[in-house]
Amino acid sequence: MSTAPTTSRPPIWQLIRDAVSPLGRETSNVEIKQLLLRAYPDLNAATIACQIAICTVNRVGRVGYPENKKPRLANGRYDFLFATGRGKVTWYDPAKHGVWAIEQTPEGLAVRRTDDETGEDVDSPPEVDAVEPVDDGFGGGAFALESHLRDYLARNPPGTTTHGALSLFVDADGRDGVEYQTDCGPADLVFLDRDGNFVVFELKLGRGPDAALGQVQRYMGWIEHHLAQGKTVSGVIVANAISEKLKYAGKVAPRVQLMEYKLAVTLAPVALQAPVA
């Protein structure tokens, strides 16, 4: 005896598209969640927020998600929202908002407006943060490229921590996890692992080890109290070099992982081509 096939709900990105398209106006992440949860109460609000970020063509953090891991023009299934302000989006209209794309750059994937004459990344950092080596507080010299390192990790969430694959956190108001504001100050990066547990990154290129461990633990505590809802909150300190003192401190802080970053520069010869006769 045959049975009728069971129907399943459409993917969340499609639910968002179908909810926003008929509105014909600016809306908010909160309103979108309310519309979807009214029809599908079993949906996860955090997942909806992440899908909104994935589908917003001018969100820098969208490249941190698997759906946006390849360069493309923003004219596909995941490219229909445009951020107009904090927690606000509208239907993406290239004629009105410009032509956006995900492009490959030497630093990684970047969100860009392709019809912008400057050709710069969205919220691109200054051309040079620092060109002189500085004392990083860990017993060695490092270039002060914290903003570059932060933006690179936001675009390319590391998979080498003990937490496995990570994706950039996006809260209910549409704020992503880059310099995420807490009552203790801004956390450099906030990620989620596959199980929805929080992983807070603190990048230390010019401050001492005590500040590094204390800061990341304060952010972890705030997130555990205000956002985690029972999920685990862990920390990762990333530095050019980890001192012995910080290693001792980390020994009794099991929820904080210590990691060093390594930079590599490759030089390739170039020359003018001979003129064509």
Side-chain angles (χ1 to χ4, degrees):
M1 182 178 67
S2 62
T3 58
T6 58
T7 58
S8 59
R9 63 165 174 77
I12 296 177
W13 67 265
Q14 186 174 328
L15 296 178
I16 295 171
R17 184 196 65 188
D18 294 345
V20 176
S21 178
L23 294 178
R25 58 172 172 79
E26 181 185 71
T27 184
S28 67
N29 293 3
V30 173
E31 182 181 17
I32 294 172
K33 286 194 301 181
Q34 290 173 343
L35 292 172
L36 267 61
L37 291 172
R38 193 177 302 146
Y40 300 93
D42 61 315
L43 293 180
N44 183 286
T47 302
I48 297 173
C50 289
Q51 290 291 314
I52 292 172
I54 288 168
C55 298
T56 303
V57 299
N58 59 328
R59 285 290 296 272
V60 174
R62 73 189 307 236
V63 298
Y65 296 91
E67 293 87 343
N68 298 323
K69 281 299 186 183
K70 293 183 179 180
R72 70 167 188 274
L73 196 64
N75 59 1
R77 65 170 65 181
Y78 301 115
D79 308 309
F80 55 85
L81 296 177
F82 183 84
T84 55
R86 180 173 173 179
K88 301 286 187 179
V89 295
T90 191
W91 191 258
Y92 170 49
D93 179 359
K96 180 179 179 181
H97 303 124
V99 179
W100 291 78
I102 297 173
E103 296 186 350
Q104 186 68 51
T105 74
E107 293 78 26
L109 291 174
V111 173
R112 285 180 169 174
R113 179 174 172 175
T114 61
D115 58 346
D116 183 355
E117 292 182 357
T118 65
E120 294 182 349
D121 295 355
V122 182
D123 292 331
S124 58
E127 288 296 322
V128 178
D129 281 346
V131 295
E132 295 293 334
V134 298
D135 181 3
D136 63 0
F138 294 92
F143 285 97
L145 299 174
E146 186 168 316
S147 65
H148 289 180
L149 177 61
R150 181 198 65 221
D151 293 344
Y152 177 82
L153 293 176
R155 294 169 179 166
N156 305 276
T160 55
T161 71
T162 56
H163 308 284
L166 301 175
S167 60
L168 197 63
F169 168 67
V170 179
D171 70 11
D173 294 323
R175 294 185 301 164
D176 62 31
V178 179
E179 289 197 323
Y180 190 82
Q181 188 63 47
T182 75
D183 293 340
C184 307
D188 284 332
L189 292 165
V190 181
F191 293 103
L192 295 177
D193 68 12
R194 292 184 185 275
D195 298 320
N197 298 309
F198 288 79
V199 184
V200 184
F201 273 61
E202 189 63 20
L203 311 179
K204 292 299 169 188
L205 304 182
R207 281 162 283 186
D210 292 338
L213 187 58
Q215 275 191 290
V216 75
Q217 288 177 322
R218 287 195 292 272
Y219 301 144
M220 289 165 59
W222 188 92
I223 289 172
E224 184 172 281
H225 185 74
H226 292 280
L227 299 176
Q229 297 182 341
K231 293 293 186 179
T232 300
V233 182
S234 303
V236 177
I237 296 174
V238 180
N240 175 255
I242 301 294
S243 71
E244 290 299 308
K245 290 182 179 180
L246 184 52
K247 291 175 184 177
Y248 281 122
K251 187 176 179 65
V252 291
R255 288 164 60 187
V256 178
Q257 184 180 6
L258 308 178
M259 302 195 76
E260 295 179 345
Y261 73 89
K262 304 298 180 185
L263 296 179
V265 177
T266 301
L267 302 180
V270 297
L272 291 173
Q273 294 183 351
V276 179

